[in-house]
Amino acid sequence: MRSVECLAAAAADPRACKRHWEHGTGFVLLEAGRYWNVLSVPEELGLSALDMLWHDPLRVPGPTLRHSKAHRMGFLLPPGPAAQWTGAGVRHVGKGSWIPSPPPYRETGHLEWIIPPDGTGALHIPEVLE
């Protein structure tokens, strides 16, 4: 339940967001840049990164979203500048942007949380992800 609260806080209307997730079949738009930014990468690169991140027994990777139709993955990071993120197909989503999000407890269409937020506010560590 804490993961729902954590994500819904980034919605324009957190209560409506939670109601939609509970009773709807789609996603909601969440604002990036306040609680977290998103590093969006091609799926192949994202899966490789996650594979490497899982090999560190002392760290659990942070929240990771997958869009199967677009073949992209999104890693939630602390808010900050985009200058360090460069590469083919790499996009940094921050303040002023919105991302679609399914509820953290089930997939919605082509969107799913591979690693849902755990409700503690833990995010990917940019230096480790890089």
Side-chain angles (χ1 to χ4, degrees):
M1 198 61 182
R2 290 178 63 200
S3 60
V4 170
E5 296 295 328
C6 185
L7 278 175
D13 182 343
R15 280 193 215 155
C17 170
K18 291 184 281 188
R19 277 193 308 271
H20 184 75
W21 280 338
E22 184 65 29
H23 303 292
T25 57
F27 59 86
V28 296
L29 292 176
L30 301 178
E31 184 180 12
R34 197 164 89 194
Y35 300 111
W36 36 258
N37 285 355
V38 179
L39 183 67
S40 175
V41 301
E43 187 174 49
E44 187 175 327
L45 176 60
L47 291 172
S48 294
L50 268 184
D51 186 48
M52 289 190 300
L53 291 170
W54 276 116
H55 282 81
D56 184 345
L58 300 177
R59 288 198 176 113
V60 174
T64 307
L65 188 61
R66 178 176 175 252
H67 190 296
S68 61
K69 189 171 184 175
H71 304 288
R72 298 200 60 85
M73 292 179 60
F75 297 88
L76 271 64
L77 306 165
Q84 64 193 21
W85 301 105
T86 58
V90 174
R91 299 181 194 131
H92 184 262
V93 180
K95 190 170 179 136
S97 299
W98 295 78
I99 66 156
S101 173
Y105 48 83
R106 68 174 151 75
E107 71 178 68
T108 302
H110 300 287
L111 288 170
E112 67 177 319
W113 286 100
I114 291 178
I115 302 172
D118 64 8
T120 67
L123 301 169
H124 283 278
I125 300 167
E127 297 78 17
V128 173
L129 185 58
E130 187 177 18

